[in-house]
Short mmCIF file of all heavy atoms in Angstrom, two decimals:
data_model
loop_
_atom_site.label_atom_id
_atom_site.label_comp_id
_atom_site.label_asym_id
_atom_site.label_seq_id
_atom_site.Cartn_x
_atom_site.Cartn_y
_atom_site.Cartn_z
N VAL U 989 9.34 9.15 8.80
CA VAL U 989 9.52 9.43 7.38
C VAL U 989 9.79 8.13 6.62
O VAL U 989 9.21 7.87 5.56
CB VAL U 989 10.67 10.43 7.17
CG1 VAL U 989 11.11 10.45 5.70
CG2 VAL U 989 10.24 11.83 7.58
N MET U 990 10.67 7.29 7.17
CA MET U 990 10.98 6.02 6.52
C MET U 990 9.75 5.12 6.47
O MET U 990 9.54 4.39 5.49
CB MET U 990 12.12 5.32 7.24
CG MET U 990 13.46 6.02 7.11
SD MET U 990 14.88 5.06 7.71
CE MET U 990 14.44 4.78 9.42
N GLY U 991 8.92 5.16 7.52
CA GLY U 991 7.69 4.36 7.51
C GLY U 991 6.74 4.80 6.42
O GLY U 991 6.15 3.97 5.71
N ALA U 992 6.57 6.12 6.27
CA ALA U 992 5.68 6.64 5.23
C ALA U 992 6.20 6.30 3.84
O ALA U 992 5.43 5.91 2.95
CB ALA U 992 5.53 8.15 5.40
N VAL U 993 7.52 6.44 3.65
CA VAL U 993 8.12 6.11 2.35
C VAL U 993 7.96 4.62 2.06
O VAL U 993 7.67 4.22 0.93
CB VAL U 993 9.60 6.52 2.33
CG1 VAL U 993 10.30 5.99 1.09
CG2 VAL U 993 9.72 8.04 2.37
N TRP U 994 8.15 3.80 3.08
CA TRP U 994 8.01 2.34 2.91
C TRP U 994 6.60 2.00 2.42
O TRP U 994 6.43 1.25 1.45
CB TRP U 994 8.30 1.65 4.23
CG TRP U 994 8.33 0.14 4.17
CD1 TRP U 994 7.26 -0.69 3.98
CD2 TRP U 994 9.48 -0.69 4.29
NE1 TRP U 994 7.68 -2.00 3.98
CE2 TRP U 994 9.03 -2.03 4.16
CE3 TRP U 994 10.84 -0.46 4.50
CZ2 TRP U 994 9.91 -3.12 4.24
CZ3 TRP U 994 11.70 -1.54 4.58
CH2 TRP U 994 11.24 -2.85 4.45
N LEU U 995 5.59 2.54 3.08
CA LEU U 995 4.21 2.25 2.70
C LEU U 995 3.90 2.78 1.30
O LEU U 995 3.25 2.10 0.49
CB LEU U 995 3.24 2.86 3.71
CG LEU U 995 3.24 2.24 5.11
CD1 LEU U 995 2.31 3.01 6.03
CD2 LEU U 995 2.84 0.77 5.06
N ALA U 996 4.35 4.01 1.02
CA ALA U 996 4.06 4.61 -0.28
C ALA U 996 4.68 3.78 -1.41
O ALA U 996 4.04 3.57 -2.45
CB ALA U 996 4.58 6.04 -0.32
N ARG U 997 5.88 3.31 -1.21
CA ARG U 997 6.55 2.54 -2.26
C ARG U 997 5.94 1.16 -2.43
O ARG U 997 5.79 0.66 -3.54
CB ARG U 997 8.04 2.43 -1.95
CG ARG U 997 8.77 3.75 -2.17
CD ARG U 997 10.26 3.63 -1.96
NE ARG U 997 10.91 4.89 -2.29
CZ ARG U 997 12.16 5.17 -1.98
NH1 ARG U 997 12.89 4.28 -1.34
NH2 ARG U 997 12.69 6.32 -2.32
N GLN U 998 5.57 0.54 -1.31
CA GLN U 998 5.00 -0.81 -1.41
C GLN U 998 3.60 -0.79 -2.01
O GLN U 998 3.14 -1.80 -2.53
CB GLN U 998 4.96 -1.46 -0.03
CG GLN U 998 6.33 -1.83 0.52
CD GLN U 998 7.10 -2.73 -0.41
OE1 GLN U 998 8.15 -2.35 -0.92
NE2 GLN U 998 6.59 -3.91 -0.65
N LEU U 999 2.91 0.35 -1.93
CA LEU U 999 1.55 0.44 -2.44
C LEU U 999 1.47 1.16 -3.79
O LEU U 999 0.38 1.41 -4.29
CB LEU U 999 0.66 1.18 -1.42
CG LEU U 999 0.45 0.44 -0.09
CD1 LEU U 999 -0.34 1.31 0.88
CD2 LEU U 999 -0.26 -0.90 -0.31
N THR U 1000 2.61 1.49 -4.36
CA THR U 1000 2.62 2.19 -5.64
C THR U 1000 1.94 1.35 -6.72
O THR U 1000 2.31 0.20 -6.96
CB THR U 1000 4.07 2.49 -6.08
OG1 THR U 1000 4.68 3.33 -5.10
CG2 THR U 1000 4.08 3.20 -7.42
N GLY U 1001 0.92 1.92 -7.34
CA GLY U 1001 0.22 1.25 -8.43
C GLY U 1001 -0.76 0.18 -8.02
O GLY U 1001 -1.28 -0.54 -8.87
N ILE U 1002 -1.05 0.06 -6.71
CA ILE U 1002 -1.92 -1.03 -6.26
C ILE U 1002 -3.37 -0.84 -6.74
O ILE U 1002 -4.17 -1.78 -6.71
CB ILE U 1002 -1.88 -1.15 -4.72
CG1 ILE U 1002 -2.42 -2.53 -4.30
CG2 ILE U 1002 -2.65 -0.02 -4.05
CD1 ILE U 1002 -2.23 -2.84 -2.84
N GLU U 1003 -3.71 0.39 -7.20
CA GLU U 1003 -5.06 0.59 -7.72
C GLU U 1003 -5.32 -0.28 -8.94
O GLU U 1003 -6.49 -0.53 -9.30
CB GLU U 1003 -5.27 2.06 -8.08
CG GLU U 1003 -4.32 2.62 -9.12
CD GLU U 1003 -3.03 3.13 -8.52
OE1 GLU U 1003 -2.83 2.95 -7.29
OE2 GLU U 1003 -2.22 3.71 -9.27
N ALA U 1004 -4.26 -0.79 -9.57
CA ALA U 1004 -4.42 -1.71 -10.70
C ALA U 1004 -4.83 -3.11 -10.23
O ALA U 1004 -5.17 -3.95 -11.06
CB ALA U 1004 -3.13 -1.79 -11.51
N PHE U 1005 -4.80 -3.32 -8.92
CA PHE U 1005 -5.18 -4.61 -8.34
C PHE U 1005 -6.22 -4.35 -7.27
O PHE U 1005 -5.91 -4.26 -6.08
CB PHE U 1005 -3.94 -5.31 -7.77
CG PHE U 1005 -4.21 -6.66 -7.17
CD1 PHE U 1005 -5.05 -7.58 -7.78
CD2 PHE U 1005 -3.61 -7.02 -5.97
CE1 PHE U 1005 -5.29 -8.81 -7.21
CE2 PHE U 1005 -3.84 -8.26 -5.40
CZ PHE U 1005 -4.69 -9.15 -6.02
N PRO U 1006 -7.49 -4.21 -7.62
CA PRO U 1006 -8.53 -3.82 -6.67
C PRO U 1006 -8.65 -4.74 -5.46
O PRO U 1006 -8.93 -4.26 -4.35
CB PRO U 1006 -9.82 -3.86 -7.52
CG PRO U 1006 -9.34 -3.68 -8.93
CD PRO U 1006 -8.01 -4.35 -8.99
N ASP U 1007 -8.45 -6.04 -5.63
CA ASP U 1007 -8.56 -6.95 -4.49
C ASP U 1007 -7.49 -6.64 -3.44
O ASP U 1007 -7.76 -6.69 -2.23
CB ASP U 1007 -8.42 -8.40 -4.96
CG ASP U 1007 -9.65 -8.87 -5.72
OD1 ASP U 1007 -10.68 -8.19 -5.63
OD2 ASP U 1007 -9.56 -9.91 -6.41
N GLY U 1008 -6.29 -6.32 -3.90
CA GLY U 1008 -5.22 -5.96 -2.98
C GLY U 1008 -5.51 -4.64 -2.28
O GLY U 1008 -5.29 -4.50 -1.08
N ALA U 1009 -6.01 -3.67 -3.04
CA ALA U 1009 -6.37 -2.38 -2.45
C ALA U 1009 -7.49 -2.55 -1.43
O ALA U 1009 -7.53 -1.84 -0.41
CB ALA U 1009 -6.79 -1.40 -3.53
N GLY U 1010 -8.38 -3.51 -1.68
CA GLY U 1010 -9.47 -3.77 -0.74
C GLY U 1010 -9.00 -4.34 0.57
O GLY U 1010 -9.68 -4.20 1.59
N ILE U 1011 -7.83 -4.99 0.59
CA ILE U 1011 -7.27 -5.54 1.82
C ILE U 1011 -6.45 -4.50 2.56
O ILE U 1011 -6.59 -4.31 3.77
CB ILE U 1011 -6.40 -6.78 1.52
CG1 ILE U 1011 -7.29 -7.96 1.08
CG2 ILE U 1011 -5.57 -7.18 2.73
CD1 ILE U 1011 -6.52 -9.20 0.73
N THR U 1012 -5.58 -3.81 1.83
CA THR U 1012 -4.66 -2.87 2.48
C THR U 1012 -5.35 -1.58 2.92
O THR U 1012 -4.98 -1.00 3.94
CB THR U 1012 -3.51 -2.51 1.53
OG1 THR U 1012 -4.05 -1.96 0.32
CG2 THR U 1012 -2.70 -3.75 1.20
N GLY U 1013 -6.36 -1.14 2.17
CA GLY U 1013 -7.04 0.11 2.52
C GLY U 1013 -7.66 0.08 3.91
O GLY U 1013 -7.35 0.92 4.76
N PRO U 1014 -8.54 -0.88 4.21
CA PRO U 1014 -9.14 -0.96 5.56
C PRO U 1014 -8.11 -1.18 6.65
O PRO U 1014 -8.26 -0.66 7.76
CB PRO U 1014 -10.09 -2.15 5.44
CG PRO U 1014 -10.41 -2.25 3.98
CD PRO U 1014 -9.16 -1.84 3.28
N MET U 1015 -7.03 -1.95 6.33
CA MET U 1015 -6.02 -2.21 7.36
C MET U 1015 -5.33 -0.91 7.78
O MET U 1015 -5.18 -0.60 8.97
CB MET U 1015 -4.98 -3.19 6.82
CG MET U 1015 -3.89 -3.54 7.82
SD MET U 1015 -2.57 -4.56 7.11
CE MET U 1015 -1.72 -3.30 6.14
N LEU U 1016 -4.91 -0.10 6.81
CA LEU U 1016 -4.25 1.16 7.11
C LEU U 1016 -5.21 2.17 7.72
O LEU U 1016 -4.84 2.95 8.59
CB LEU U 1016 -3.61 1.73 5.84
CG LEU U 1016 -2.49 0.89 5.23
CD1 LEU U 1016 -1.98 1.54 3.96
CD2 LEU U 1016 -1.35 0.70 6.22
N ALA U 1017 -6.46 2.13 7.26
CA ALA U 1017 -7.46 3.05 7.83
C ALA U 1017 -7.71 2.74 9.30
O ALA U 1017 -7.82 3.66 10.14
CB ALA U 1017 -8.75 2.96 7.03
#
């Protein structure tokens, strides 16, 4: 639960930064 919350909070609003989303998305996938 803490891991999921950690990721959700650190990625909040990252869609406003497409380059960052492009790095984190494939890594988590």
Side-chain angles (χ1 to χ4, degrees):
V989 165
M990 292 191 301
V993 171
W994 186 290
L995 292 176
R997 287 184 176 168
Q998 290 304 116
L999 294 175
T1000 299
I1002 198 171
E1003 59 274 6
F1005 181 42
D1007 288 344
I1011 290 178
T1012 57
M1015 181 187 74
L1016 296 178

